[in-house]
Amino acid sequence: MEWFWYFGIYSFLGFCLEVLFARATHQSKRDRKCFFLLPLCPVYGLGALWILALPAPVLQSNLLLFFGSALAATGAEYLMSLFYERLTGVHFWDYRHLPFQLHGRVCLLFSVFWGMLGVGAVRVLHPLVAQFTALIPSFLWPLAACLLLLDGALTLVLLRRTHSTDILCWYRRVSRLPLRDS
């Protein structure tokens, strides 16, 4: 159960980080979620799980943790990109404009960022996340799992049908609807 919560928490924190990054770098696409309803970026959740699953000797050395995190999270990023591209026909990111990239799915610069994030997450953030997840009542797990699975399935269907991540920004269209006078 704790690994499920880790995935969800790190996916949410990844979403927050993506939004901050988009705003700080003045990106035109500021919406960075990968689910229809939930504000989650699963590449961060998967990357965090792979980092946390690294062998103990790697987790104990900052240098090994940096390189292990970079490799684990870059692998997760590559596989998530491939998954979305093959299953739904969408691209959430494209690094083809950056040097030392592989098929636009991963690049050296962001692998370095993954390494730094991994060290920070394991050394600073994860002890707090582990304490927090220990406080979550066990009866919430099935509800949260169903919500995640339903939203994930809906998201995949919509992405596959539209081949566009714009469908995930449904709230923009709702906010532009005219209000009726009663």
Side-chain angles (χ1 to χ4, degrees):
M1 241 188 320
E2 66 190 13
W3 288 87
F4 170 81
W5 293 118
Y6 294 161
F7 174 81
I9 291 167
Y10 286 110
S11 293
F12 174 72
L13 293 174
F15 162 77
C16 294
L17 186 63
E18 284 288 325
V19 169
L20 289 172
F21 179 79
R23 285 179 177 40
T25 57
H26 306 290
Q27 303 259 331
S28 59
K29 184 179 180 184
R30 295 181 180 219
D31 302 296
R32 298 299 184 109
K33 66 191 187 100
C34 298
F35 278 78
F36 186 69
L37 296 173
L38 299 172
L40 301 175
C41 288
V43 67
Y44 287 87
L46 183 61
L49 293 183
W50 286 13
I51 290 168
L52 295 172
L54 290 170
V58 173
L59 293 172
Q60 292 166 357
S61 162
N62 284 338
L63 184 62
L64 291 177
L65 179 57
F66 172 82
F67 286 109
S69 295
L71 286 172
T74 298
E77 184 176 35
Y78 190 91
L79 288 177
M80 288 297 295
S81 176
L82 192 63
F83 170 80
Y84 279 117
E85 289 171 27
R86 297 278 166 89
L87 192 64
T88 67
V90 301
H91 300 267
F92 280 98
W93 59 88
D94 185 355
Y95 299 136
R96 281 183 274 193
H97 64 286
L98 295 173
F100 307 108
Q101 53 83 23
L102 183 61
H103 306 121
R105 294 184 184 107
V106 295
C107 69
L108 181 60
L109 176 63
F110 282 89
S111 293
V112 170
F113 289 157
W114 283 122
M116 292 186 300
L117 278 172
V119 172
V122 170
R123 296 288 181 256
V124 178
L125 190 58
H126 191 67
L128 300 171
V129 169
Q131 286 178 350
F132 175 74
T133 58
L135 300 174
I136 300 173
S138 60
F139 73 85
L140 289 179
W141 181 84
L143 298 170
C146 285
L147 179 62
L148 183 68
L149 287 172
L150 289 173
D151 193 19
L154 174 64
T155 300
L156 290 176
V157 166
L158 292 172
L159 289 173
R160 191 174 171 101
R161 184 172 293 162
T162 64
H163 300 288
S164 172
T165 60
D166 291 339
I167 193 69
L168 303 181
C169 301
W170 55 268
Y171 44 86
R172 281 196 212 147
R173 290 184 293 282
V174 171
S175 68
R176 285 184 274 183
L177 292 175
L179 296 175
R180 287 208 261 182
D181 292 335
S182 310

